[in-house]
Amino acid sequence: MGENTFVQDESIETIIQRYKGTVFSVAMSYVGNRTDAEDIFQEVFLIFYKVKPEFNDEEHRKAWLIRTTINCSLRVVDSTYRKRTTTTDELENEGSFTFESKEENAVYLALRALPEKYRIVLQLFYFEDMPIKQIAATLKMKEKTVKVQLKRGRDLMKEKLLEEGYES
């Protein structure tokens, strides 16, 4: 969305429709299960609704939503309760998140197997089409760090996919 079409006071419904995929996929990349990702999705938009943050442009709004999703996801991942328990839902649905093609499933599983620091930069760069500069600002790190993590993440993904029998 261009700068000229940015609307500060858009309805929450419009914003949810625009960013539901982004928020859900970032949450899913951190927590790895649909139930927690749905809870995080709700929490992020509830915070957005309550706080009513001011933004300069659409890019700023998207970065805020992603950063808030990451923070909420980290709280879930780091929670003492989650570390000590595994829900029945998680056991039943582990690995059941599937795509239409075998290749898409392999890429998703290889991405899920990466360490978090590589997974999130790959997710934002390839799936959310964020430029390196914006990823760095959103994740509060240097652009060079993002570039290094992208390179290492790509290398690890390639290695995992080659192990699964996919050629480069």
Side-chain angles (χ1 to χ4, degrees):
M1 210 174 210
E3 288 182 68
N4 297 341
T5 58
F6 176 70
V7 179
Q8 179 67 43
D9 297 326
E10 281 185 296
S11 72
I12 186 75
E13 293 85 5
T14 302
I15 293 166
I16 289 171
Q17 282 302 313
R18 183 175 304 131
Y19 292 108
K20 65 184 177 186
T22 298
V23 170
F24 185 79
S25 64
V26 169
M28 191 71 177
S29 101
Y30 271 89
V31 296
N33 73 69
R34 194 176 285 277
T35 304
D36 286 340
E38 288 170 352
D39 289 346
I40 291 164
F41 175 91
Q42 290 178 10
E43 184 177 356
V44 167
F45 286 109
L46 183 61
I47 291 168
F48 181 87
Y49 180 75
K50 286 180 177 179
V51 173
K52 294 180 176 51
E54 296 282 323
F55 302 105
N56 301 326
D57 55 27
E58 201 60 45
E59 214 172 84
H60 185 207
R61 183 183 341 224
K62 181 178 183 178
W64 185 93
L65 287 165
I66 290 170
R67 183 74 244 169
T68 304
T69 303
I70 291 168
N71 291 342
C72 291
S73 298
L74 290 173
R75 265 196 308 276
V76 169
V77 169
D78 292 340
S79 75
T80 306
Y81 176 77
R82 189 167 196 267
K83 286 179 181 177
R84 287 206 239 141
T85 63
T86 302
T87 64
T88 309
D89 188 40
E90 280 181 73
L91 292 172
E92 290 172 359
N93 294 322
E94 194 169 316
S96 68
F97 189 79
T98 57
F99 293 92
E100 290 182 25
S101 75
K102 181 180 171 188
E103 291 80 15
E104 288 173 320
N105 281 324
V107 168
Y108 172 75
L109 292 173
L111 184 65
R112 287 285 316 136
L114 292 178
E116 182 181 294
K117 67 181 180 178
Y118 303 128
R119 188 173 62 235
I120 192 63
V121 294
L122 288 170
Q123 168 100 26
L124 295 176
F125 187 77
Y126 288 106
F127 298 101
E128 303 305 327
D129 296 321
M130 286 178 75
I132 290 170
K133 186 175 185 171
Q134 189 179 358
I135 294 170
T138 301
L139 299 179
K140 298 177 181 161
M141 59 176 60
K142 294 179 182 175
E143 287 182 44
K144 178 127 178 96
T145 304
V146 173
K147 289 177 184 177
V148 168
Q149 288 181 354
L150 278 170
K151 167 81 171 91
R152 289 180 182 164
R154 285 184 198 115
D155 291 346
L156 287 171
M157 284 282 292
K158 182 177 180 180
E159 187 179 305
K160 289 183 185 307
L161 291 170
L162 287 173
E163 286 173 9
E164 294 294 318
Y166 290 94
E167 297 189 24
S168 56

